[in-house]
Structure formats: C-alpha cells, structure tokens
Amino acid sequence: KINYSKYKNMSYKTLHAATMGETKQSQRQAKLDVDHKLAQSIPPRELLEELAVTCANDPSPDNTFQYAFALSKSSEKTELRYSVTILDGLVKEGYSHQLDCMFGAATALYLLEDFEAARERCESILRTKPENRAAAEMHLACMGSQEAKVDKQVKRAATVGSIAMAAVGVAAVVASVALKK
C-alpha cells in the first residue's frame, strides 16, 4: 500500500512523480511475485492426466472446472489456450464459480503473455470483488509485464534501427570510395 501522508506538503507535479514511481515499483514487485508463484505451481503431468480421465468419465461442471483450472497453470501453450476455452465456456454456461473461472483464464492468458486480455479479466473480477487480492496482484503484474514487453520491443527496435543506420553509413562510405576511383 502507498502511504500518502508523507506527500501532504508536496506540489501536484512532485506528488504525481513520486506516486507514479511507487506504482511502477508495485507493478514490478507484483510481476516478480506472480511469476514466482506461477513457477512454483506448475501442475505435475500425472495430476493433469488424472483430472482429464475424471473429466472424461464424469464431465460434470465441477470436474471440468478442476481440470481446466489445473491446465491454466501448465507450462504448455496448447494446454493454456485450451484452459481458457474451457473456463470461458463454463462462464457462459453460468457455472457457479465464475470468478474462479475468470481468474484461471487470466492466469493462463498471463502465462501466454497476453497481458491485455489477462488484465481485462482481472478488472472484471475486481469490479465484482474489489477486495480480491489475487486478482489485484495479477492486475498489477499484467501492467508491469505489459510495460516490460513494450520496453523490450522499443529497445529491440532501437538496436535494429542503429544497426540499419550503421549499415547505411558503411554503404555510403563504400559507395563514395568506389565513385572516387
């Protein structure tokens, strides 16, 4: 939580800069925390197989949810996408644990690096249950991860642009030397 009492004598501009810094730090910390938790919660293959068999033998909404929720933490992209499809279907069917389905889908989307869609799911949860700490933490992590992804793309584009400019410069030098001969 941000302690605003220390900012009471600051100008708006100074206050805005200070709180933005704390928000960015909160996002980075949430990303680290979520990444760590998810790395620790990858379901074992045996559990996924057992839940798949249970779901196939008795495809009740509860069994389907348990299977899809476990898949939402998988390390396999195909399983993550499948979990989102199943969990979204349960929500559309009016399954009683809709917020859990939405959080499972947000988790899978986060792991798929679709941070915008994951953030939207978290926002939907937080509109209904603003005190949901897991959704709030995931929401912050999504914002931090999206920002890190954009920063990485900008740095990559700058590097490629610099290399391209250097190549153009070298080509110009070579061309001018060739023309002088």
Side-chain angles (χ1 to χ4, degrees), residues 41 52 94 133 153:
S41 64
R133 291 178 59 119
Q153 291 169 342

Side-chain angles (χ1 to χ4, degrees), residues 113-169:
E113 297 185 8
D114 187 348
F115 303 119
E116 182 67 24
R119 184 183 58 77
E120 289 171 2
R121 304 295 171 93
C122 291
E123 288 173 355
S124 294
I125 294 168
L126 292 168
R127 277 192 290 278
T128 304
K129 293 273 191 190
E131 70 281 359
N132 188 312
R133 291 178 59 119
E137 182 179 45
M138 177 74 71
H139 184 261
L140 277 175
C142 288
M143 292 189 308
S145 296
Q146 182 64 37
E147 186 172 303
K149 186 177 182 181
V150 169
D151 287 349
K152 187 176 180 180
Q153 291 169 342
V154 167
K155 286 177 185 173
R156 187 179 311 127
T159 302
V160 169
S162 297
I163 292 169
M165 290 302 290
V168 167

Side-chain angles (χ1 to χ4, degrees), residues 34-43:
V34 167
D35 289 348
H36 178 73
K37 288 175 187 175
L38 292 175
Q40 300 298 315
S41 64
I42 297 171

